[in-house]
Amino acid sequence: KETSSKQIELVSDNDQNKIAIRRTPEIIYGLRNFIGNANKFCSEKVYIFLKSNNEITEIVIEDDGEGYPADILSKIGEPYLKTPNRKNKTKAGLGLGIFIGKTLLEKNFATINCRNSKTRGGAEVIIRWLNKDLMKI
């Protein structure tokens, strides 16, 4: 079992519509992949923001790491996307975790946007559902 000494901060101040998201294996695994990646690549902290209103439910996962490399940013979510990490070989990857997480969440009506955070500089993943689609799950 893998443990981490890094911090995870959950912020749900903007959770106005306490909709229950079903705990399907696909949603759990997809979210776990993105949170795990943020934990793996952060310097010290991962931030998870839960936002909702009458129309949407959104989960934003940010980290304080180096962010996505500029040369692969437009390809994030593709399988076998080689991301060598020259500083730390244990952080090198093939992009399969993001590909699988993205695919599973999209099959459960989510839209995924991966970019570099404007506030922290690390990676940012925005996972959004229309509430009407969440009711289908």
Side-chain angles (χ1 to χ4, degrees), residues 5-55:
S5 62
K6 297 176 182 176
Q7 297 177 7
I8 296 179
E9 181 177 325
L10 175 62
V11 180
S12 61
D13 297 345
N14 291 321
D15 186 16
Q16 301 168 2
N17 186 23
K18 306 284 184 186
I19 187 169
I21 299 174
R22 264 198 207 152
R23 294 177 56 155
T24 68
E26 298 86 1
I27 290 176
I28 292 169
Y29 190 84
L31 291 174
R32 184 181 298 164
N33 272 2
F34 285 111
I35 293 168
N37 268 2
N39 185 61
K40 180 178 178 181
F41 290 99
C42 76
S43 295
E44 296 177 10
K45 200 165 189 179
V46 174
Y47 304 85
I48 303 171
F49 301 92
L50 177 59
K51 304 175 185 179
S52 71
N53 59 33
N54 290 335
E55 294 180 29

Side-chain angles (χ1 to χ4, degrees), residues 116-130:
N116 286 325
S117 171
K118 294 176 173 108
T119 56
R120 293 181 177 83
E124 178 179 73
V125 178
I126 302 164
I127 305 161
R128 177 182 283 187
W129 289 271
L130 293 174

Side-chain angles (χ1 to χ4, degrees), residues 7-8 10 22 25 33-35 45 56 58 62 71 80-81 84 86 91 101 103 108 117 123 131 137:
Q7 297 177 7
I8 296 179
L10 175 62
R22 264 198 207 152
N33 272 2
F34 285 111
I35 293 168
K45 200 165 189 179
I56 62 109
E58 182 177 271
E62 282 186 78
D71 59 329
Y80 302 108
L81 184 60
R86 291 176 187 87
K91 291 186 178 181
T103 301
N108 281 272
S117 171
N131 290 339
I137 297 173

Side-chain angles (χ1 to χ4, degrees), residues 66-74 76 83-84 116:
E66 296 179 18
Y68 298 112
D71 59 329
I72 66 159
L73 194 53
S74 66
I76 295 290
T83 59
N116 286 325

